[in-house]
PDB file of all heavy atoms in Angstrom:
ATOM      1  N   LEU U 705     -19.625  21.390 -56.153  1.00  0.00           N
ATOM      2  CA  LEU U 705     -18.488  20.642 -56.393  1.00  0.00           C
ATOM      3  C   LEU U 705     -17.197  21.356 -55.995  1.00  0.00           C
ATOM      4  O   LEU U 705     -16.186  20.776 -55.663  1.00  0.00           O
ATOM      5  CB  LEU U 705     -18.439  20.537 -58.019  1.00  0.00           C
ATOM      6  CG  LEU U 705     -19.460  19.604 -58.645  1.00  0.00           C
ATOM      7  CD1 LEU U 705     -19.359  19.685 -60.208  1.00  0.00           C
ATOM      8  CD2 LEU U 705     -19.075  18.119 -58.160  1.00  0.00           C
ATOM      9  N   THR U 706     -17.194  22.764 -55.871  1.00  0.00           N
ATOM     10  CA  THR U 706     -16.062  23.466 -55.464  1.00  0.00           C
ATOM     11  C   THR U 706     -15.725  23.178 -54.006  1.00  0.00           C
ATOM     12  O   THR U 706     -14.500  23.196 -53.686  1.00  0.00           O
ATOM     13  CB  THR U 706     -16.496  25.032 -55.511  1.00  0.00           C
ATOM     14  OG1 THR U 706     -16.730  25.285 -56.894  1.00  0.00           O
ATOM     15  CG2 THR U 706     -15.240  25.917 -55.069  1.00  0.00           C
ATOM     16  N   GLN U 707     -16.680  22.745 -53.187  1.00  0.00           N
ATOM     17  CA  GLN U 707     -16.364  22.411 -51.798  1.00  0.00           C
ATOM     18  C   GLN U 707     -15.507  21.066 -51.773  1.00  0.00           C
ATOM     19  O   GLN U 707     -14.825  20.883 -50.729  1.00  0.00           O
ATOM     20  CB  GLN U 707     -17.609  22.298 -50.973  1.00  0.00           C
ATOM     21  CG  GLN U 707     -18.472  23.653 -50.962  1.00  0.00           C
ATOM     22  CD  GLN U 707     -17.651  24.846 -51.073  1.00  0.00           C
ATOM     23  OE1 GLN U 707     -16.654  25.026 -50.201  1.00  0.00           O
ATOM     24  NE2 GLN U 707     -17.927  25.793 -51.908  1.00  0.00           N
ATOM     25  N   LEU U 708     -15.480  20.337 -52.861  1.00  0.00           N
ATOM     26  CA  LEU U 708     -14.604  19.248 -52.800  1.00  0.00           C
ATOM     27  C   LEU U 708     -13.158  19.623 -52.712  1.00  0.00           C
ATOM     28  O   LEU U 708     -12.136  18.941 -52.306  1.00  0.00           O
ATOM     29  CB  LEU U 708     -14.929  18.258 -54.069  1.00  0.00           C
ATOM     30  CG  LEU U 708     -16.329  17.625 -53.926  1.00  0.00           C
ATOM     31  CD1 LEU U 708     -16.640  16.862 -55.317  1.00  0.00           C
ATOM     32  CD2 LEU U 708     -16.558  16.710 -52.728  1.00  0.00           C
ATOM     33  N   ILE U 709     -12.862  20.787 -53.423  1.00  0.00           N
ATOM     34  CA  ILE U 709     -11.543  21.308 -53.374  1.00  0.00           C
ATOM     35  C   ILE U 709     -11.073  21.611 -51.956  1.00  0.00           C
ATOM     36  O   ILE U 709      -9.938  21.385 -51.505  1.00  0.00           O
ATOM     37  CB  ILE U 709     -11.503  22.635 -54.192  1.00  0.00           C
ATOM     38  CG1 ILE U 709     -11.932  22.395 -55.688  1.00  0.00           C
ATOM     39  CG2 ILE U 709      -9.999  23.243 -54.223  1.00  0.00           C
ATOM     40  CD1 ILE U 709     -11.924  23.693 -56.514  1.00  0.00           C
ATOM     41  N   PHE U 710     -12.100  22.155 -51.214  1.00  0.00           N
ATOM     42  CA  PHE U 710     -11.785  22.488 -49.843  1.00  0.00           C
ATOM     43  C   PHE U 710     -11.418  21.249 -49.052  1.00  0.00           C
ATOM     44  O   PHE U 710     -10.391  21.134 -48.382  1.00  0.00           O
ATOM     45  CB  PHE U 710     -13.073  23.168 -49.206  1.00  0.00           C
ATOM     46  CG  PHE U 710     -12.823  23.277 -47.724  1.00  0.00           C
ATOM     47  CD1 PHE U 710     -11.977  24.301 -47.171  1.00  0.00           C
ATOM     48  CD2 PHE U 710     -13.714  22.671 -46.813  1.00  0.00           C
ATOM     49  CE1 PHE U 710     -11.857  24.443 -45.842  1.00  0.00           C
ATOM     50  CE2 PHE U 710     -13.675  22.796 -45.384  1.00  0.00           C
ATOM     51  CZ  PHE U 710     -12.783  23.683 -44.976  1.00  0.00           C
ATOM     52  N   LEU U 711     -12.279  20.242 -49.277  1.00  0.00           N
ATOM     53  CA  LEU U 711     -11.929  18.816 -48.529  1.00  0.00           C
ATOM     54  C   LEU U 711     -10.601  18.365 -48.945  1.00  0.00           C
ATOM     55  O   LEU U 711      -9.917  17.972 -47.984  1.00  0.00           O
ATOM     56  CB  LEU U 711     -13.094  17.919 -48.956  1.00  0.00           C
ATOM     57  CG  LEU U 711     -13.246  16.611 -48.199  1.00  0.00           C
ATOM     58  CD1 LEU U 711     -13.570  16.908 -46.715  1.00  0.00           C
ATOM     59  CD2 LEU U 711     -14.314  15.702 -48.746  1.00  0.00           C
ATOM     60  N   TYR U 712     -10.286  18.352 -50.288  1.00  0.00           N
ATOM     61  CA  TYR U 712      -9.022  17.931 -50.715  1.00  0.00           C
ATOM     62  C   TYR U 712      -7.947  18.658 -49.995  1.00  0.00           C
ATOM     63  O   TYR U 712      -6.888  18.084 -49.586  1.00  0.00           O
ATOM     64  CB  TYR U 712      -8.991  17.892 -52.195  1.00  0.00           C
ATOM     65  CG  TYR U 712      -7.683  17.476 -52.709  1.00  0.00           C
ATOM     66  CD1 TYR U 712      -7.277  16.169 -52.768  1.00  0.00           C
ATOM     67  CD2 TYR U 712      -6.699  18.394 -53.317  1.00  0.00           C
ATOM     68  CE1 TYR U 712      -6.038  15.797 -53.310  1.00  0.00           C
ATOM     69  CE2 TYR U 712      -5.521  18.077 -53.706  1.00  0.00           C
ATOM     70  CZ  TYR U 712      -5.169  16.650 -53.766  1.00  0.00           C
ATOM     71  OH  TYR U 712      -3.981  16.313 -54.286  1.00  0.00           O
ATOM     72  N   THR U 713      -7.951  20.035 -50.142  1.00  0.00           N
ATOM     73  CA  THR U 713      -6.945  20.822 -49.581  1.00  0.00           C
ATOM     74  C   THR U 713      -6.597  20.658 -48.149  1.00  0.00           C
ATOM     75  O   THR U 713      -5.442  20.527 -47.643  1.00  0.00           O
ATOM     76  CB  THR U 713      -7.309  22.321 -49.821  1.00  0.00           C
ATOM     77  OG1 THR U 713      -7.719  22.473 -51.043  1.00  0.00           O
ATOM     78  CG2 THR U 713      -6.196  23.303 -49.528  1.00  0.00           C
ATOM     79  N   VAL U 714      -7.748  20.454 -47.323  1.00  0.00           N
ATOM     80  CA  VAL U 714      -7.606  20.240 -45.893  1.00  0.00           C
ATOM     81  C   VAL U 714      -6.959  18.902 -45.581  1.00  0.00           C
ATOM     82  O   VAL U 714      -5.961  18.713 -44.873  1.00  0.00           O
ATOM     83  CB  VAL U 714      -8.931  20.301 -45.290  1.00  0.00           C
ATOM     84  CG1 VAL U 714      -8.829  19.859 -43.760  1.00  0.00           C
ATOM     85  CG2 VAL U 714      -9.488  21.779 -45.162  1.00  0.00           C
ATOM     86  N   ILE U 715      -7.419  17.906 -46.322  1.00  0.00           N
ATOM     87  CA  ILE U 715      -6.865  16.553 -46.145  1.00  0.00           C
ATOM     88  C   ILE U 715      -5.323  16.473 -46.579  1.00  0.00           C
ATOM     89  O   ILE U 715      -4.580  16.028 -45.747  1.00  0.00           O
ATOM     90  CB  ILE U 715      -7.619  15.391 -47.008  1.00  0.00           C
ATOM     91  CG1 ILE U 715      -9.005  15.296 -46.377  1.00  0.00           C
ATOM     92  CG2 ILE U 715      -6.930  14.100 -46.993  1.00  0.00           C
ATOM     93  CD1 ILE U 715     -10.087  14.443 -47.180  1.00  0.00           C
ATOM     94  N   LYS U 716      -5.046  17.091 -47.622  1.00  0.00           N
ATOM     95  CA  LYS U 716      -3.687  17.183 -48.112  1.00  0.00           C
ATOM     96  C   LYS U 716      -2.744  17.959 -47.034  1.00  0.00           C
ATOM     97  O   LYS U 716      -1.737  17.513 -46.764  1.00  0.00           O
ATOM     98  CB  LYS U 716      -3.665  17.987 -49.369  1.00  0.00           C
ATOM     99  CG  LYS U 716      -2.431  17.925 -50.070  1.00  0.00           C
ATOM    100  CD  LYS U 716      -2.481  18.521 -51.492  1.00  0.00           C
ATOM    101  CE  LYS U 716      -1.054  18.869 -51.900  1.00  0.00           C
ATOM    102  NZ  LYS U 716      -1.124  20.013 -52.854  1.00  0.00           N
ATOM    103  N   CYS U 717      -3.318  18.945 -46.452  1.00  0.00           N
ATOM    104  CA  CYS U 717      -2.702  19.762 -45.444  1.00  0.00           C
ATOM    105  C   CYS U 717      -2.348  18.933 -44.131  1.00  0.00           C
ATOM    106  O   CYS U 717      -1.349  19.035 -43.503  1.00  0.00           O
ATOM    107  CB  CYS U 717      -3.472  20.980 -45.079  1.00  0.00           C
ATOM    108  SG  CYS U 717      -2.613  22.127 -43.881  1.00  0.00           S
ATOM    109  N   ILE U 718      -3.385  18.007 -43.763  1.00  0.00           N
ATOM    110  CA  ILE U 718      -3.285  17.268 -42.604  1.00  0.00           C
ATOM    111  C   ILE U 718      -2.180  16.250 -42.877  1.00  0.00           C
ATOM    112  O   ILE U 718      -1.286  15.961 -42.032  1.00  0.00           O
ATOM    113  CB  ILE U 718      -4.556  16.573 -42.219  1.00  0.00           C
ATOM    114  CG1 ILE U 718      -5.635  17.626 -41.822  1.00  0.00           C
ATOM    115  CG2 ILE U 718      -4.345  15.628 -41.120  1.00  0.00           C
ATOM    116  CD1 ILE U 718      -7.066  17.060 -41.643  1.00  0.00           C
ATOM    117  N   GLN U 719      -2.048  15.747 -44.064  1.00  0.00           N
ATOM    118  CA  GLN U 719      -1.068  14.618 -44.373  1.00  0.00           C
ATOM    119  C   GLN U 719       0.338  15.166 -44.515  1.00  0.00           C
ATOM    120  O   GLN U 719       1.221  14.360 -44.259  1.00  0.00           O
ATOM    121  CB  GLN U 719      -1.580  13.786 -45.617  1.00  0.00           C
ATOM    122  CG  GLN U 719      -2.775  12.975 -45.341  1.00  0.00           C
ATOM    123  CD  GLN U 719      -3.371  12.337 -46.487  1.00  0.00           C
ATOM    124  OE1 GLN U 719      -3.068  12.796 -47.641  1.00  0.00           O
ATOM    125  NE2 GLN U 719      -4.017  11.314 -46.309  1.00  0.00           N
ATOM    126  N   GLY U 720       0.435  16.370 -44.793  1.00  0.00           N
ATOM    127  CA  GLY U 720       1.827  16.795 -45.024  1.00  0.00           C
ATOM    128  C   GLY U 720       1.930  18.096 -45.749  1.00  0.00           C
ATOM    129  O   GLY U 720       0.940  18.696 -45.942  1.00  0.00           O
ATOM    130  N   GLY U 721       3.057  18.500 -46.114  1.00  0.00           N
ATOM    131  CA  GLY U 721       3.176  19.778 -46.794  1.00  0.00           C
ATOM    132  C   GLY U 721       4.453  20.589 -46.096  1.00  0.00           C
ATOM    133  O   GLY U 721       5.038  20.066 -45.225  1.00  0.00           O
ATOM    134  N   GLU U 722       4.556  21.810 -46.677  1.00  0.00           N
ATOM    135  CA  GLU U 722       5.604  22.538 -46.210  1.00  0.00           C
ATOM    136  C   GLU U 722       5.478  22.765 -44.702  1.00  0.00           C
ATOM    137  O   GLU U 722       4.335  23.054 -44.180  1.00  0.00           O
ATOM    138  CB  GLU U 722       5.601  23.945 -46.894  1.00  0.00           C
ATOM    139  CG  GLU U 722       6.713  24.857 -46.660  1.00  0.00           C
ATOM    140  CD  GLU U 722       6.271  26.237 -47.083  1.00  0.00           C
ATOM    141  OE1 GLU U 722       5.522  26.465 -48.011  1.00  0.00           O
ATOM    142  OE2 GLU U 722       6.856  27.208 -46.366  1.00  0.00           O
ATOM    143  N   LYS U 723       6.698  22.646 -43.844  1.00  0.00           N
ATOM    144  CA  LYS U 723       6.491  22.916 -42.509  1.00  0.00           C
ATOM    145  C   LYS U 723       6.024  24.350 -42.119  1.00  0.00           C
ATOM    146  O   LYS U 723       6.536  25.254 -42.623  1.00  0.00           O
ATOM    147  CB  LYS U 723       7.818  22.510 -41.984  1.00  0.00           C
ATOM    148  CG  LYS U 723       8.048  22.637 -40.385  1.00  0.00           C
ATOM    149  CD  LYS U 723       7.753  21.085 -39.900  1.00  0.00           C
ATOM    150  CE  LYS U 723       7.676  21.162 -38.285  1.00  0.00           C
ATOM    151  NZ  LYS U 723       6.520  22.004 -37.845  1.00  0.00           N
ATOM    152  N   ALA U 724       5.114  24.348 -41.154  1.00  0.00           N
ATOM    153  CA  ALA U 724       4.597  25.717 -40.835  1.00  0.00           C
ATOM    154  C   ALA U 724       5.361  26.155 -39.662  1.00  0.00           C
ATOM    155  O   ALA U 724       5.770  25.534 -38.754  1.00  0.00           O
ATOM    156  CB  ALA U 724       3.205  25.611 -40.348  1.00  0.00           C
ATOM    157  N   PRO U 725       5.847  27.450 -39.799  1.00  0.00           N
ATOM    158  CA  PRO U 725       6.530  28.070 -38.696  1.00  0.00           C
ATOM    159  C   PRO U 725       5.652  28.357 -37.552  1.00  0.00           C
ATOM    160  O   PRO U 725       4.397  28.269 -37.625  1.00  0.00           O
ATOM    161  CB  PRO U 725       7.216  29.355 -39.248  1.00  0.00           C
ATOM    162  CG  PRO U 725       6.336  29.733 -40.396  1.00  0.00           C
ATOM    163  CD  PRO U 725       5.738  28.458 -40.840  1.00  0.00           C
ATOM    164  N   GLU U 726       6.296  28.785 -36.350  1.00  0.00           N
ATOM    165  CA  GLU U 726       5.330  29.340 -35.237  1.00  0.00           C
ATOM    166  C   GLU U 726       4.276  30.311 -35.697  1.00  0.00           C
ATOM    167  O   GLU U 726       3.195  30.186 -35.291  1.00  0.00           O
ATOM    168  CB  GLU U 726       6.331  29.937 -34.152  1.00  0.00           C
ATOM    169  CG  GLU U 726       6.404  29.150 -33.015  1.00  0.00           C
ATOM    170  CD  GLU U 726       7.319  30.017 -31.949  1.00  0.00           C
ATOM    171  OE1 GLU U 726       7.185  31.253 -31.847  1.00  0.00           O
ATOM    172  OE2 GLU U 726       8.171  29.231 -31.323  1.00  0.00           O
ATOM    173  N   LYS U 727       4.821  31.263 -36.388  1.00  0.00           N
ATOM    174  CA  LYS U 727       3.874  32.427 -36.748  1.00  0.00           C
ATOM    175  C   LYS U 727       3.961  32.548 -38.373  1.00  0.00           C
ATOM    176  O   LYS U 727       4.792  33.263 -38.780  1.00  0.00           O
ATOM    177  CB  LYS U 727       4.321  33.667 -36.082  1.00  0.00           C
ATOM    178  CG  LYS U 727       3.232  34.642 -36.195  1.00  0.00           C
ATOM    179  CD  LYS U 727       3.511  35.844 -35.310  1.00  0.00           C
ATOM    180  CE  LYS U 727       4.230  36.983 -36.203  1.00  0.00           C
ATOM    181  NZ  LYS U 727       4.234  38.258 -35.390  1.00  0.00           N
ATOM    182  N   PRO U 728       3.148  31.823 -39.013  1.00  0.00           N
ATOM    183  CA  PRO U 728       3.242  31.845 -40.476  1.00  0.00           C
ATOM    184  C   PRO U 728       2.706  33.175 -41.102  1.00  0.00           C
ATOM    185  O   PRO U 728       3.121  33.528 -42.320  1.00  0.00           O
ATOM    186  CB  PRO U 728       2.271  30.753 -41.096  1.00  0.00           C
ATOM    187  CG  PRO U 728       1.404  30.310 -39.841  1.00  0.00           C
ATOM    188  CD  PRO U 728       2.060  30.879 -38.630  1.00  0.00           C
ATOM    189  N   TRP U 729       1.953  33.993 -40.263  1.00  0.00           N
ATOM    190  CA  TRP U 729       1.459  35.351 -40.817  1.00  0.00           C
ATOM    191  C   TRP U 729       2.053  36.404 -40.156  1.00  0.00           C
ATOM    192  O   TRP U 729       2.010  36.454 -39.012  1.00  0.00           O
ATOM    193  CB  TRP U 729      -0.054  35.340 -40.664  1.00  0.00           C
ATOM    194  CG  TRP U 729      -0.899  34.119 -40.976  1.00  0.00           C
ATOM    195  CD1 TRP U 729      -1.553  33.162 -40.189  1.00  0.00           C
ATOM    196  CD2 TRP U 729      -0.879  33.304 -42.275  1.00  0.00           C
ATOM    197  NE1 TRP U 729      -2.167  32.172 -40.762  1.00  0.00           N
ATOM    198  CE2 TRP U 729      -1.699  32.230 -42.095  1.00  0.00           C
ATOM    199  CE3 TRP U 729      -0.346  33.642 -43.513  1.00  0.00           C
ATOM    200  CZ2 TRP U 729      -1.901  31.321 -43.169  1.00  0.00           C
ATOM    201  CZ3 TRP U 729      -0.538  32.694 -44.525  1.00  0.00           C
ATOM    202  CH2 TRP U 729      -1.375  31.563 -44.375  1.00  0.00           C
ATOM    203  N   GLU U 730       2.783  37.202 -41.016  1.00  0.00           N
ATOM    204  CA  GLU U 730       3.604  38.265 -40.478  1.00  0.00           C
ATOM    205  C   GLU U 730       2.858  39.119 -39.512  1.00  0.00           C
ATOM    206  O   GLU U 730       3.444  39.461 -38.426  1.00  0.00           O
ATOM    207  CB  GLU U 730       3.994  39.173 -41.632  1.00  0.00           C
ATOM    208  CG  GLU U 730       5.175  39.976 -41.354  1.00  0.00           C
ATOM    209  CD  GLU U 730       5.575  40.897 -42.565  1.00  0.00           C
ATOM    210  OE1 GLU U 730       5.076  40.559 -43.697  1.00  0.00           O
ATOM    211  OE2 GLU U 730       6.310  41.980 -42.338  1.00  0.00           O
ATOM    212  N   GLY U 731       1.627  39.609 -39.773  1.00  0.00           N
ATOM    213  CA  GLY U 731       0.979  40.491 -38.995  1.00  0.00           C
ATOM    214  C   GLY U 731       0.100  39.950 -37.751  1.00  0.00           C
ATOM    215  O   GLY U 731      -0.514  40.747 -37.080  1.00  0.00           O
ATOM    216  N   ALA U 732       0.129  38.572 -37.557  1.00  0.00           N
ATOM    217  CA  ALA U 732      -0.663  37.989 -36.511  1.00  0.00           C
ATOM    218  C   ALA U 732       0.031  38.301 -35.198  1.00  0.00           C
ATOM    219  O   ALA U 732       1.144  38.228 -35.077  1.00  0.00           O
ATOM    220  CB  ALA U 732      -0.940  36.496 -36.839  1.00  0.00           C
ATOM    221  N   ASP U 733      -0.843  38.544 -34.209  1.00  0.00           N
ATOM    222  CA  ASP U 733      -0.223  38.942 -32.872  1.00  0.00           C
ATOM    223  C   ASP U 733      -0.785  38.262 -31.741  1.00  0.00           C
ATOM    224  O   ASP U 733      -0.445  38.502 -30.567  1.00  0.00           O
ATOM    225  CB  ASP U 733      -0.158  40.366 -32.595  1.00  0.00           C
ATOM    226  CG  ASP U 733      -1.532  40.932 -32.551  1.00  0.00           C
ATOM    227  OD1 ASP U 733      -2.542  40.251 -32.689  1.00  0.00           O
ATOM    228  OD2 ASP U 733      -1.631  42.115 -32.070  1.00  0.00           O
ATOM    229  N   SER U 734      -1.840  37.370 -31.747  1.00  0.00           N
ATOM    230  CA  SER U 734      -2.496  36.793 -30.603  1.00  0.00           C
ATOM    231  C   SER U 734      -1.600  35.589 -30.119  1.00  0.00           C
ATOM    232  O   SER U 734      -0.582  35.183 -30.772  1.00  0.00           O
ATOM    233  CB  SER U 734      -3.882  36.452 -30.750  1.00  0.00           C
ATOM    234  OG  SER U 734      -4.033  35.905 -32.087  1.00  0.00           O
TER     235      SER U 734
END
Side-chain angles (χ1 to χ4, degrees):
Chain U
L705 288 175
T706 301
Q707 303 322 312
L708 297 175
I709 303 178
F710 173 68
L711 191 64
Y712 176 75
T713 312
V714 167
I715 292 174
K716 194 173 155 206
C717 180
I718 293 169
Q719 286 175 339
E722 189 197 326
K723 185 90 191 65
E726 245 177 43
K727 192 171 98 166
W729 315 121
E730 195 187 342
D733 70 344
S734 40

